[in-house]
């Protein structure tokens, strides 16, 4: 940082030296030479412009004015020709001004524009001659206006980019919050539903059938431990991503559940008093992780609703590995319902299916009971190629 500052001030000092040599050591040079030389010399102020743009603007104004005011030693008859093109030095001021308009506060930019405009009009009015006065004044104003417009466009583009980035960050945060909410809901709702059923069973049979009561307590313990472990994994991953806390190193986080865990899910549901018959159709093959997780969560939520609301002791889960889509279906023969629960279960299932471009239907069956069916399209057909006819 100190080195950069030293280089900036060295560039500023070199700029002053070059302008002094240009005006004092080349008094017979034409105005065009002075103007172009001052314009090229402004590149030495790059470091000062980036660190102190208003100071750089002041130095550029002084240097450009010195290039204009340094009178050439020429005769009166060639005076007008000698000054021709000398006002090009103010293009350097306009370049610095464009940077100020693009990066500095609006109040500072307005003051800089007003000061530069006043100085240029005054200097051009004093040193322009004859018919060139009006032309030079107009050209100076137009050049300054163009530089201000370029600075404003750059400023708006930068502000727009910042706004777009902020919007993308907000959308990413919202999407992540929704994903976490779905995961926690699916995990906790299923487990708490099973725990509630087992606790009710245990309280009813603790006196008459202590063995069944012990089994219910074991199921409650196992389910609660599994849920607690899942919550811990979620919290640990969030804190690691946030970087706000240091957690002890662990071997690895458990993989996300998938279609291979449906049988284990069925066993846990059976412990809550609902037998689950799992049927698989089609050739089983690898499925993208996001589709597999969503299918598992849909089945999990549907089984949770069966345990909590269906008032039945049996249901069926069908997993169909199609060529173009993966289908899961959960059907029970309970008391049905209209599917208009005020909870978030069915809404979450529809969101999961919709995010993958799929569709979900949930509602009572004409013959009784309730049916949840989801169709999740696969990225590309993975079926066995048809043999040539």
């Amino acid at each position: 940082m100190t080195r950069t500052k030293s280089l900036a001030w060295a560039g500023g000092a070199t700029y002053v030296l070059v302008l002094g040599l240009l005006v004092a050591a080349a008094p017979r040079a034409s105005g065009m030479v002075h103007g172009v030389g001052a314009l090229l010399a402004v590149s030495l102020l790059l470091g000062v412009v980036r660190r102190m743009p208003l100071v750089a603007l002041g130095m550029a104004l002084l240097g450009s004015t010195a290039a204009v005011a340094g009178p050439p030693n020429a005769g009166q008859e060639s005076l007008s020709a000698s000054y021709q093109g000398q006002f090009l030095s103010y293009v350097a001021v306009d370049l610095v001004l464009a940077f100020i308009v693009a990066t500095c506060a609006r109040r500072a930019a307005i003051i800089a524009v007003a000061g530069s405009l006043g100085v240029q009009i005054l200097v051009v009015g004093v040193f322009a001659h004859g018919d060139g006065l009006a032309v030079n004044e107009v050209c100076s104003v137009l050049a300054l206006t163009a530089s201000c417009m370029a600075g404003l466009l750059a400023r708006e583009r930068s502000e727009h980019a910042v706004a777009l980035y902020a919007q993308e960050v907000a959308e990413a945060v919202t999407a992540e919050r929704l994903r976490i909410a779905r995961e926690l809901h699916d995990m906790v709702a299923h487990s708490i539903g099973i725990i509630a059923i087992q606790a009710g069973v245990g309280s009813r049979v603790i006196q008459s059938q202590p063995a069944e009561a012990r089994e219910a307590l074991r199921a409650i313990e196992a389910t609660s431990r599994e849920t607690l472990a899942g919550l811990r994994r979620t919290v640990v991953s969030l804190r690691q991503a946030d970087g706000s806390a240091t957690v002890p190193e662990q071997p690895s986080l458990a993989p996300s559940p998938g279609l291979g865990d449906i049988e284990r899910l069925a066993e846990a549901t059976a412990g809550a008093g609902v037998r689950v018959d799992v049927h698989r159709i089609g050739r089983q093959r690898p499925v993208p992780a996001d589709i597999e997780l969503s299918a598992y969560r849909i089945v999990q939520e549907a089984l949770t609703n069966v345990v909590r609301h269906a008032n039945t002791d049996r249901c069926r889960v069908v997993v169909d590995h199609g060529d173009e889509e993966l289908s899961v279906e959960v059907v029970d023969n309970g008391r049905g319902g209209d599917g208009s629960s005020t909870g978030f279960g069915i809404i979450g299932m529809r969101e999961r299916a919709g995010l993958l471009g799929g569709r979900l239907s949930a509602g009572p069956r004409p013959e009784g009971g309730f049916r949840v069916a989801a169709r999740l399209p696969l990225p590309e057909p993975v079926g066995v190629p048809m043999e040539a006819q």
Side-chain angles (χ1 to χ4, degrees), residues 183-191 227 230-231 234 297 300:
E183 289 294 322
L184 292 179
H185 174 271
D186 294 341
M187 181 192 308
V188 175
H190 177 76
S191 301
T227 304
L231 289 174
T234 302
R297 293 302 189 193
Q300 183 183 47

Side-chain angles (χ1 to χ4, degrees), residues 249-296:
E249 294 185 359
Q250 298 180 357
S252 64
L253 299 180
S256 300
L259 297 175
D261 299 302
I262 289 182
E263 281 75 9
R264 182 174 58 84
L265 184 63
E267 293 177 2
T269 306
V274 178
R275 179 181 174 182
V276 181
D277 298 323
V278 180
H279 301 276
R280 297 181 182 269
I281 303 175
R283 183 173 61 88
Q284 299 183 30
R285 55 193 178 276
V287 175
D290 54 345
I291 297 178
E292 191 167 356
L293 175 61
S294 295
Y296 175 87

Side-chain angles (χ1 to χ4, degrees), residues 36-206:
V36 174
L39 178 59
L40 295 177
V42 80
S43 60
L44 299 171
L45 292 178
L46 181 60
V48 183
V49 169
R50 297 183 62 181
R51 297 182 63 86
M52 293 169 289
L54 295 179
V55 174
L57 178 64
M59 296 177 67
L61 275 172
L62 290 175
S64 298
T65 303
V68 173
N73 296 333
Q76 185 67 29
E77 66 279 0
S78 61
L79 190 60
S80 178
S82 298
Y83 279 109
Q84 184 179 3
Q86 198 161 359
F87 299 113
L88 281 174
S89 60
Y90 281 113
V91 176
V93 176
D94 296 335
L95 293 176
V96 178
L97 195 62
F99 182 84
I100 292 175
V101 172
T103 59
C104 294
R106 296 186 184 275
R107 182 177 179 181
I110 292 173
I111 294 174
V113 170
S116 298
L117 180 62
V119 171
Q120 292 190 41
I121 290 177
L122 179 61
V123 173
V124 172
V126 171
F127 291 96
H129 300 276
D131 296 334
L133 175 60
V135 174
N136 285 316
E137 291 282 12
V138 171
C139 289
S140 297
V141 173
L142 289 178
L144 187 143
T145 303
S147 67
C148 292
M149 292 300 298
L152 285 174
L153 290 176
R155 186 188 194 96
E156 290 181 359
R157 183 176 180 180
S158 176
E159 291 176 350
H160 182 63
V162 171
L164 285 180
Y165 178 75
Q167 182 179 357
E168 291 176 359
V169 170
E171 290 176 353
V173 170
T174 301
E176 184 66 11
R177 290 177 62 185
L178 291 175
R179 185 190 69 80
I180 295 172
R182 284 194 298 267
E183 289 294 322
L184 292 179
H185 174 271
D186 294 341
M187 181 192 308
V188 175
H190 177 76
S191 301
I192 295 300
I194 292 178
I195 289 173
I197 296 295
Q198 294 287 7
V201 172
S203 65
R204 286 194 296 270
V205 302
I206 191 170

Side-chain angles (χ1 to χ4, degrees), residues 238-259:
L238 289 175
R239 298 179 76 176
Q240 285 177 333
D242 180 63
S244 59
T246 302
V247 294
E249 294 185 359
Q250 298 180 357
S252 64
L253 299 180
S256 300
L259 297 175

